[in-house]
Amino acid sequence: MTEILHQVRGGLGRLDDTKTHSDHLIETLIDQYETQITKLAYIYVQDWSTAQDICQEVFIKAYHSLGSFNQNSSYKTWIYRIAVNQCKDYKKSAYFRRNTVVDKFHRMFNKEIAATPEQELIQTEENNSVSAQIFALPMKYREIILLYYYEELTTDEIGELLNLKASTVRTRLDRGRQKLKTLLQGRGTDE
């Protein structure tokens, strides 16, 4: 992550010997949330390398936006919101849509791309029954279940993060649990 700090400080420009408050704060945020943000990005993009790139972009944006942070929420919620928005922007991009089509085309003709050890490990983990069923849920339920159970955010924090009312979050959480229960029992239904 030192490369992120180097990028946000101006790329190849000079690095100050004394750290400013912003430098210290962004280092602390990176130390605390880098792993969670990468995992969150993976939930959206389903590609570990892309998730890592998105994580870097999140902290670069956070560094440049530190001055506009209004303290109405926690840094955790603020960073997560940047991450979710970055992921959604990526999924809307022409690059993502084009690569998704190309990937499906390759699979159609059995020209699988050689998997890296990371991808094999991720695939093994995805084959785990519970995680595979969570990833089978529609995104609106999946993201809330993962944020609630794995990131341990409250329904209020999730609502703030996703621009939803807390009651909507609780409803989606309940519906997501029911859908997950149904999927785990082998009686999956499509939405």
Side-chain angles (χ1 to χ4, degrees), residues 21-65:
H21 175 68
S22 296
D23 291 346
H24 178 69
L25 180 58
I26 199 67
E27 286 177 3
T28 302
L29 293 173
I30 290 169
D31 289 342
Q32 287 181 345
Y33 302 117
E34 174 186 8
T35 303
Q36 294 101 320
I37 295 301
T38 305
K39 288 177 184 177
L40 177 66
Y42 180 78
I43 291 168
Y44 281 90
V45 298
Q46 300 291 301
D47 179 68
W48 192 251
S49 176
T50 303
Q52 291 172 325
D53 291 344
I54 288 172
C55 180
Q56 286 186 4
E57 288 296 319
V58 166
F59 287 108
I60 290 169
K61 284 186 176 190
Y63 182 81
H64 290 296
S65 302

Side-chain angles (χ1 to χ4, degrees), residues 21-133:
H21 175 68
S22 296
D23 291 346
H24 178 69
L25 180 58
I26 199 67
E27 286 177 3
T28 302
L29 293 173
I30 290 169
D31 289 342
Q32 287 181 345
Y33 302 117
E34 174 186 8
T35 303
Q36 294 101 320
I37 295 301
T38 305
K39 288 177 184 177
L40 177 66
Y42 180 78
I43 291 168
Y44 281 90
V45 298
Q46 300 291 301
D47 179 68
W48 192 251
S49 176
T50 303
Q52 291 172 325
D53 291 344
I54 288 172
C55 180
Q56 286 186 4
E57 288 296 319
V58 166
F59 287 108
I60 290 169
K61 284 186 176 190
Y63 182 81
H64 290 296
S65 302
L66 279 174
S68 64
F69 179 67
N70 59 15
Q71 310 259 337
N72 286 341
S73 63
S74 67
Y75 282 113
K76 181 178 182 178
T77 305
W78 181 64
I79 290 289
Y80 273 57
R81 172 177 233 124
I82 293 171
V84 167
N85 289 338
Q86 188 72 21
C87 291
K88 288 181 178 181
D89 289 347
Y90 175 79
K91 287 191 81 165
K92 290 178 193 174
S93 72
Y95 176 81
F96 176 78
R97 290 192 306 268
R98 181 175 58 248
N99 283 342
T100 302
V101 169
V102 169
D103 191 38
K104 286 179 183 178
F105 180 76
H106 281 286
R107 286 191 182 132
M108 250 175 33
F109 292 103
N110 294 325
K111 294 180 181 175
E112 285 293 322
I113 300 169
T116 65
E118 286 176 336
Q119 290 169 328
E120 289 177 12
L121 178 65
I122 291 168
Q123 185 62 41
T124 301
E125 187 175 315
E126 283 181 356
N127 290 337
N128 177 324
S129 180
V130 175
S131 65
Q133 298 307 320

Side-chain angles (χ1 to χ4, degrees), residues 122-160:
I122 291 168
Q123 185 62 41
T124 301
E125 187 175 315
E126 283 181 356
N127 290 337
N128 177 324
S129 180
V130 175
S131 65
Q133 298 307 320
I134 290 173
F135 279 98
L137 291 172
M139 179 58 80
K140 68 181 183 179
Y141 301 123
R142 180 188 335 155
E143 67 186 351
I144 289 177
I145 285 177
L146 291 170
L147 289 171
Y148 186 79
Y149 287 107
Y150 292 98
E151 299 301 330
E152 299 178 355
L153 295 175
T154 66
T155 55
D156 289 334
E157 289 173 326
I158 295 169
E160 183 178 335

Side-chain angles (χ1 to χ4, degrees), residues 156-170:
D156 289 334
E157 289 173 326
I158 295 169
E160 183 178 335
L161 177 68
L162 300 175
N163 285 331
L164 298 170
K165 293 180 182 178
S167 60
T168 303
V169 172
R170 287 189 290 277

